[in-house]
Amino acid sequence: MKIARLETFAQRQIAFVRLTADDGGVGWGQISTFNSDISATVFHRQVAPRALGGGVDDVEGLCARLLEAEYKFPGSYVRRALGGLETALWDLRGKAEGKSVCELLGGRPRPIAAYGSSMRRDITPADEAERLVRLRDEKGFGAFKVRIGSVCGHDADQWPGRTDELVPTVRKAIGDDVKLLVDGNSCYTPARAIEVGRMLEDHGVCHFEEPCPYWEYEWTAEVAAALDVDIAGGEQDCWLPGWRRMIAMRAVDVVQPDILYLGGITRAAAVAKLAERAGMPCVPHSANLGLVTLFTLHLLASIPNAGPYVEFTIEPNDWAQAAYRPNLEVRDGLVEMPPGPGWGVEILPQWLQKAERQVSE
């Protein structure tokens, strides 16, 4: 089978790809979220022309050749667009073989524990603690992640004293049996990250994400060497040589590839394999309820070094969940992938009618 037609359906926050093969088979994928309308334009300019006519069975080879052909563009947008093609190819194959993508990857569909991921820094420590306790009791979450510092903050807190109040307040509220993770979003220099990290260790935090500017691998490695708490990172990294370097130098203890920032599940699985060889767990970044969290469930159920949970946002994601069915839900702390071949979801016609459609064939 060959790729005969590629369509995108885009809004600014999210975009989907419909791939049609020359035998009429159809697969659905997703371009990465945020500025997705721009990524859809990149898709038709730099991805679709190189993919049309390509074989649908050689996902890895097709994507590798495409990126080599676009060698002058090593950054994020081409890979965000490529993710739409790559995930559509997996859906097409799954439907053709009557298997889930997880099974195609060698795994077995299973419920996966979720950690509730807060995206907010505008919330007081008391209010954050209150809503996490409520979600613990309603949804059964056994782990939560909160935001500390400020985004690319040059050591500044969101407001003075917030982090030092937030961590003990949340820890006391959720109890010692619930795992607590934090995300620094590139806030700190090494010295300050180590200082904050020791406070985190005192309160039983198990995961300190992106403590330093993510592009400063040496800074992050310095923090990882100094602290006992696991240092996590990598969500922004879309270049495999960067991943090889990061893992080789032990810049992090936990790898967090984002399937759609990176360019697809095949490339994310390659990162997971590099981490497995180095004895590191993989807990992918999946910070919204577009299809990236669904893709991540399939990946986690198919790799031997999967971390103990999937990231599951606790923020309203109506803009994403209005696009497909069935939606993902957390029950008793677990989330299940929808049954059925491929990704097991339907992109809703009423959403597609409102999106901007482009076609390459």
Side-chain angles (χ1 to χ4, degrees), residues 14-202:
I14 193 169
F16 298 98
V17 172
R18 179 163 63 192
L19 183 156
T20 304
D22 57 5
D23 71 344
V26 172
W28 283 94
Q30 187 194 305
I31 288 170
S32 185
T33 43
F34 311 121
N35 287 334
S36 297
D37 52 342
I38 298 175
S39 296
T41 297
V42 173
F43 181 91
H44 289 283
R45 182 73 59 85
Q46 296 180 268
V47 174
R50 300 193 183 280
L52 287 167
V56 301
D57 294 325
D58 184 19
V59 178
E60 183 175 3
L62 177 63
C63 292
R65 290 190 296 272
L66 188 151
L67 289 176
E68 286 180 1
E70 294 294 331
Y71 71 98
K72 288 186 177 291
F73 298 88
S76 178
Y77 267 114
V78 171
R79 283 148 184 80
R80 285 168 180 256
L82 175 64
L85 171 71
E86 199 267 4
T87 52
L89 285 166
W90 280 109
D91 189 52
L92 176 74
R93 181 180 164 191
K95 289 172 178 173
E97 298 186 23
K99 296 180 179 179
S100 68
V101 174
C102 170
E103 291 170 310
L104 295 178
L105 293 168
R108 177 181 57 83
R110 60 180 175 85
I112 292 178
Y115 75 78
S117 187
S118 169
M119 305 294 160
R120 293 182 61 182
R121 284 185 168 85
D122 63 342
I123 189 169
T124 67
D127 286 346
E128 183 75 290
E130 181 181 6
R131 74 168 181 158
L132 298 188
V133 168
R134 174 173 50 80
L135 288 167
R136 178 200 64 189
D137 296 342
E138 289 178 359
K139 301 289 187 179
F141 282 110
F144 289 103
K145 185 171 76 181
V146 297
R147 306 282 161 157
I148 64 170
S150 58
V151 178
C152 297
H154 301 275
D155 287 338
D157 211 344
Q158 189 71 14
W159 62 78
R162 178 181 181 271
T163 293
D164 287 336
E165 182 183 354
L166 175 70
V167 173
T169 299
V170 168
R171 167 50 75 206
K172 181 178 180 181
I174 63 176
D176 292 338
D177 293 337
V178 176
K179 292 181 179 179
L180 181 57
L181 300 76
V182 304
D183 191 345
N185 288 118
S186 295
C187 181
Y188 303 113
T189 59
R192 180 59 179 151
I194 292 167
E195 183 179 8
V196 171
R198 289 183 175 136
M199 181 272 290
L200 300 176
E201 291 173 345
D202 288 343

Side-chain angles (χ1 to χ4, degrees), residues 206-358:
C206 63
H207 167 123
F208 187 3
E209 184 172 329
E210 210 172 272
C212 300
Y214 70 83
W215 55 91
E216 297 285 4
Y217 292 174
E218 287 78 11
W219 285 16
T220 305
E222 182 181 343
V223 175
L227 295 174
D228 292 329
V229 60
D230 281 345
I231 302 302
E235 71 180 70
Q236 318 293 353
D237 289 271
C238 63
W239 204 40
L240 290 180
W243 272 108
R244 286 193 287 271
R245 178 171 167 243
M246 187 194 313
I247 290 170
M249 69 188 294
R250 298 279 170 168
V252 296
D253 303 301
V254 178
V255 302
Q256 294 182 287
D258 184 296
I259 289 168
L260 291 181
Y261 295 175
L262 188 58
I265 203 163
T266 307
R267 287 166 57 81
V271 171
K273 177 60 70 174
L274 291 170
E276 179 195 353
R277 291 170 182 159
M280 297 178 181
C282 179
V283 180
H285 175 257
S286 53
N288 65 77
L289 294 180
L291 296 186
V292 67
T293 299
L294 172 62
F295 300 158
T296 299
L297 292 171
H298 284 258
L299 179 64
L300 286 173
S302 64
I303 59 174
N305 59 326
Y309 26 52
V310 63
E311 180 176 18
F312 199 97
T313 183
I314 60 173
E315 310 304 345
N317 263 199
D318 295 343
W319 55 269
Q321 293 177 293
Y324 68 94
R325 291 291 183 274
N327 290 156
L328 300 176
E329 293 188 41
V330 176
R331 296 187 179 93
D332 297 324
L334 301 172
V335 58
E336 295 194 48
M337 62 187 73
W343 300 119
V345 295
E346 175 193 8
I347 310 300
L348 297 178
Q350 57 266 37
W351 188 94
L352 295 172
Q353 290 169 4
K354 298 176 183 178
E356 180 184 355
R357 178 174 176 262
Q358 297 183 67

